[in-house]
Amino acid sequence: MLHYKTYTHEKNHQWVIFVHGAGGSSSIWYKQLREFKQHFNILLVDLRGHGKSQSDKFLLKKYSFKEVSLDVLEVMDHLKIQKAHFVGISLGTILIQTIAELYPDRVASMTLGGAVTKMNFRSRFLIAMGNLCKSFIPYMWLYSLFAWVIMPKKRHEASRSLFIGEAKKLCQKEFKRWFKLTLKINPFLQSLRKKEIPIPTLYIMGEEDYMFLPPIQAFIDKKKHSKLLTIKDCGHVCNVDQPELFNKNSIEFIRNQIAAAPNAS
């Protein structure tokens, strides 16, 4: 099972589950934890091969977005969490959308920060080049390059440093397994975009997230259950670049969903 950590609220029974992206760990939510703990029960997970989920048993498992998403559901079942509000960043948003597609009754709402919904030409080119070079170039060179391309500005330095630091904890074999997932990412994302699951969804995107913001701007007006918040002076990892705005808006969004629920207490 994935490594996880929980924080329980004295009065509120609602759960919020945080899902990090590839190369990160649950530690990337350190700027959210204090604020969210004041309102909800919290579940932090380290995805397979990340953080403290480093068991060799994961290497024997199949790697697909579905299989990695089911790891999170396994923790929910273990803790007897029937339904939760999900907060994700970057590739973690793909896993949350996968869970919502497979088991919509387990997802109360989705807050998707730096959401990945489509790979543009530049990102596809980087992935293709990375796939060609991954056997003979150290994976940290590739990961650092991706981090600089996705988060190029001076004010993105904290986000870059955080993700590069977390990625260093991955072994080469684990990196390659996750990297292979990106090769099939566009067809997978296309299938997710074709339909809208009737689950309240808030996209929180940095205005400077030039790779992943435009695709969301292109389809958001067609979505009935989704809305987009764009944060100024902010890049891809918006929970780190602008934590105050990220926390304020995501907490307000979740509380509104709880208040609007038929069985709200």
Side-chain angles (χ1 to χ4, degrees):
M1 186 181 298
L2 299 180
H3 175 268
Y4 66 88
K5 191 167 186 178
T6 60
Y7 299 86
T8 55
H9 193 277
E10 291 183 357
K11 298 179 180 179
N12 196 335
H13 67 280
Q14 299 281 340
W15 282 91
V16 172
I17 300 176
F18 287 91
V19 184
H20 64 81
S25 76
S26 57
S27 66
I28 65 123
W29 301 108
Y30 71 100
K31 292 188 176 183
Q32 280 66 58
L33 191 54
R34 184 174 66 177
E35 293 296 324
F36 274 79
K37 283 196 304 182
Q38 297 179 28
H39 303 279
F40 317 107
N41 296 319
I42 303 298
L43 170 60
L44 301 172
V45 294
D46 286 339
L47 300 176
R48 62 169 71 174
H50 294 69
K52 295 183 179 179
S53 296
Q54 297 282 353
S55 172
D56 290 339
K57 293 180 180 179
F58 289 121
L59 296 177
L60 302 176
K61 292 186 175 183
K62 180 181 178 182
Y63 271 57
S64 68
F65 287 114
K66 178 180 178 180
E67 295 300 324
V68 176
S69 299
L70 291 177
D71 290 344
V72 180
L73 284 169
E74 182 182 21
V75 178
M76 290 180 68
D77 291 339
H78 175 72
L79 296 173
K80 295 180 172 57
I81 300 173
Q82 178 58 36
K83 195 170 189 176
H85 301 268
F86 283 81
V87 179
I89 195 74
S90 195
L91 260 69
T93 64
I94 300 177
L95 304 182
I96 292 173
Q97 293 174 83
T98 303
I99 293 171
E101 181 182 37
L102 295 172
Y103 300 98
D105 59 321
R106 307 296 297 272
V107 182
S109 73
M110 298 185 284
T111 301
L112 308 178
V116 179
T117 61
K118 186 178 182 180
M119 306 297 278
N120 63 14
F121 174 80
R122 182 178 295 187
S123 55
R124 295 198 305 271
F125 177 78
L126 283 171
I127 289 171
M129 290 300 98
N131 185 58
L132 290 174
C133 302
K134 70 178 187 295
S135 297
F136 57 88
I137 291 181
Y139 78 93
M140 280 310 305
W141 291 11
L142 291 173
Y143 196 89
S144 297
L145 173 62
F146 291 152
W148 276 97
V149 171
I150 295 172
M151 300 169 272
K153 295 199 174 185
K154 175 67 176 177
R155 58 171 157 257
H156 306 160
E157 185 174 0
S159 299
R160 278 197 312 270
S161 298
L162 177 63
F163 269 75
I164 291 173
E166 288 297 320
K168 288 179 180 178
K169 301 174 185 177
L170 290 176
C171 67
Q172 181 92 356
K173 184 181 293 185
E174 189 66 41
F175 175 83
K176 289 180 179 179
R177 286 175 173 268
W178 277 87
F179 198 87
K180 284 182 179 179
L181 286 180
T182 62
L183 298 177
K184 303 175 182 178
I185 196 171
N186 245 11
F188 184 80
L189 290 174
Q190 186 178 18
S191 69
L192 289 179
R193 290 196 307 271
K194 283 182 177 179
K195 51 186 173 293
E196 182 183 17
I197 304 167
I199 294 174
T201 303
L202 173 64
Y203 290 93
I204 304 182
M205 306 294 293
E207 191 177 57
E208 297 165 351
D209 192 354
Y210 67 95
M211 289 183 71
F212 301 113
L213 175 59
I216 296 174
Q217 292 173 320
F219 70 65
I220 194 67
D221 290 339
K222 303 173 185 177
K223 300 295 185 180
K224 180 180 179 181
H225 303 281
S226 304
K227 62 180 181 178
L228 169 64
L229 169 68
T230 305
I231 302 177
K232 292 184 178 180
D233 299 327
C234 183
H236 179 60
V237 190
C238 48
N239 67 303
V240 176
D241 288 352
Q242 294 284 1
E244 293 83 6
L245 287 173
F246 183 93
N247 295 345
K248 177 181 180 296
N249 286 280
S250 52
I251 289 173
E252 181 180 358
F253 172 71
I254 294 171
R255 294 185 69 180
N256 286 342
Q257 305 318 310
I258 293 172
N263 58 347
S265 57

